Amino acid sequence: MSPAAGASSGGQAGPDAARRDTLVFPPDFMWGAATAAYQIEGAADDDGKGRSIWDTFAHTPGRIANGDTGDIAADHYHRYKDDVGLLSVLGLNAYRFSVSWPRIQADGTGAPNPAGLDYYDRLVDTLLERAITPLVTLYHWDLPQALEDREGWRNRDTAYRFAEYAEHVGEAIGDRIRYWVTINEPWCAAFLGYSSGVHAPGVQDPAGAFAAAHHLMLAHGLAAPGLRASNPGTSSVGVALNFSPVQPRSESAADLDAARRIHLLQNRLFADPILRGSYGAELREHIEQVSGTGHIRPGDEDILAGGADFLGVNYYTPYLVSAGPEKTYPTAWPGAEEVAFHLKGLPRTVIGWEVDPDAFRRLFDWLSAEYPDVDLVVTENGVATFDRVDPDGAVHDPERIDFLFSHLRAVHAAIADGANIRGYFTWSLMDNFEWAEGYAMRFGLVFIDYETQQRFPKDSAHWYGRIARDNAVSGTTVLPSGTEE
Ligand code: FCB
C-alpha cells in the first residue's frame, strides 16, 4: 500500500463533528521523541566512559552559556527505566536515542567496553518490552577526545575508527535494531565544530571543515554495510541531515547567488554525495575554491554510493538571505562569507528561530523531487519555549502545542501528496543540555527540574501522546491547553 493511501482527512464532510478535520496518518507510522547521549545522560565518568570533545568543550570557560556542562544533565543514564516508562505512559511507539562513542571505546579505538555496551543493551530491551521501536543514532557529536587530539574529523582515519565502533555496537544490539542513524547533522559537526567553532571542538579552520564534512560522510559509507549485516533484511541505515529551505531576499543576481551558495552548503553538501553517490560539479567547484578537493580520494564516492535506506530529516527554521558585506570571522558557510541572513518577520521561538511550517511543507516537495527513491523519517522537529511548573505540577506550553500542530499538518499534507514519510520524532523527549546554550533552552515534552531531577510531563506531552495513540491529528486536539486528557 502506498503511504499516501493511508493518509486521509475527514474534511468538513465527516458525519462526526468532533472528528472534523481529522488527519489520519499511515498505518505503522512511528510516533516518537528524540534525544542525544551528551544532552541527557550525565554520568560523565561512570563505568569506564572516556572523555568526549563535548566534555572538554563544556569545561572550557566561556564556551557554554552560564558555564553549564553535561556532567549530570537529566541523569538519564541512571533514570532510563523511568524515562522509558514515561514514553510508554504517553503512548509513543518509537524513541530515537544516541550511543555515546566514548562509553563504548574510551579513547575511540580498540576493544569495546562491556559496561558501555551493557547499558545500551538494557536500554534497548527496556524499550522493546514496552513495544517502543528504537531508532539508534551512533554519532550525535560526542567524538572521543583522544581522536580529536589526532585532528578529529579532519583526519581521514577517524572515519575508519567510526566504522569499527559501529561494528561493535551492531554486534551487541543489532539483532534488535531496525533503524540506525549513523551520523546526526554532519553539517553542524563539520561547520559549527571546525569552521565557526561555536560547537566542540571549537576549531576555526574553514578549509579543514570541508575535509571534516567529507570524512563524516565517509564514516557513514564505511559503517553502513556492517550495520545492515547485523540484522540482514531487517535493518535500515540512514543519516540525519538538518535542512533549512533558503529564500533569496530579492530576485537580483547577487541575492540569487547568495541563496544558491547557502542552499548548496546547507541542503546539498551531504544529501547529494550520500543519496546520489556524487558531489556533482557545482559542489566540487565550490569546495575547490575554498579548500581544494584533495581530501576526496578516488573511489570515495563509490563508498558513499551505498547510500541510505532512509533519510532522517531534521527541520527547525528556514533562511532568508541576501548578498551582504563580507564577514571577517570564520562563518559556518565557508566560501559564502558575503551573505547576510535576515528575518522573514514570522513569530520567533525563544532561541530566536522563526516558525515556518509552510517551509517544512515545501521542504518535503523538494526532497521528494530531488531524492525520490529514499524513505523519509522526520528525526527532529521541535521548539524551545519558556516553561515553568505551576503549583499543581502542570506545565502549560501552548506554544509547543501550536508548533507541533502546524508542523504535523505540514507532514500530513506532504504524505497526502505522496511523500514517503515513515515517522515523526519530535525534539525532544525531555528538557536537556542544548549545546552552546546550556540548560537555558527547554525543548522537551517533559520538563526537567535540574535541582531535583523530577520529571513533569508538559501539556504538550499529553497532547502529543494522544495523537500518537490515535495515529491522527484531529480538530479536538487543539482545544486550549490544559483542557485535554
Ligand atoms: C539540533 C540537534 C539537537 C538539538 C536541536 C535543538 O541541531 O541535532 O541535538 O540540539 O538541534
Side-chain angles (χ1 to χ4, degrees), residues 39-164:
Q39 294 180 275
I40 62 166
E41 284 180 355
D45 299 311
D46 284 35
D47 300 333
K49 172 181 167 292
R51 302 242 107 192
S52 82
I53 54 175
W54 272 96
D55 290 306
T56 308
F57 194 71
H59 280 272
T60 308
R63 293 300 205 173
I64 311 294
N66 197 37
D68 291 341
T69 75
D71 287 1
I72 298 171
D75 196 32
H76 174 76
Y77 187 77
H78 299 116
R79 296 166 192 265
Y80 73 92
K81 281 197 177 143
D82 293 345
D83 291 338
V84 172
L86 269 174
L87 280 164
S88 173
V89 167
L90 292 174
L92 306 195
N93 63 14
Y95 177 53
R96 175 181 179 223
F97 66 91
S98 84
V99 175
S100 157
W101 186 348
R103 282 197 199 285
I104 307 304
Q105 293 172 304
D107 63 3
T109 60
N113 168 14
L117 290 175
D118 181 56
Y119 169 66
Y120 294 105
D121 188 71
R122 284 181 279 125
L123 174 58
V124 167
D125 280 348
T126 309
L127 288 164
L128 293 176
E129 276 159 22
R130 295 183 179 256
I132 297 169
T133 300
L135 187 148
V136 183
T137 305
L138 285 166
Y139 186 73
H140 204 122
W141 306 351
D142 41 1
L143 183 73
Q145 178 61 43
L147 294 183
E148 182 54 36
D149 295 343
R150 286 179 260 151
E151 301 282 296
W153 287 108
R154 288 178 295 170
N155 181 346
R156 185 178 171 91
D157 184 60
T158 299
Y160 292 85
R161 301 284 72 74
F162 176 82
E164 265 175 32

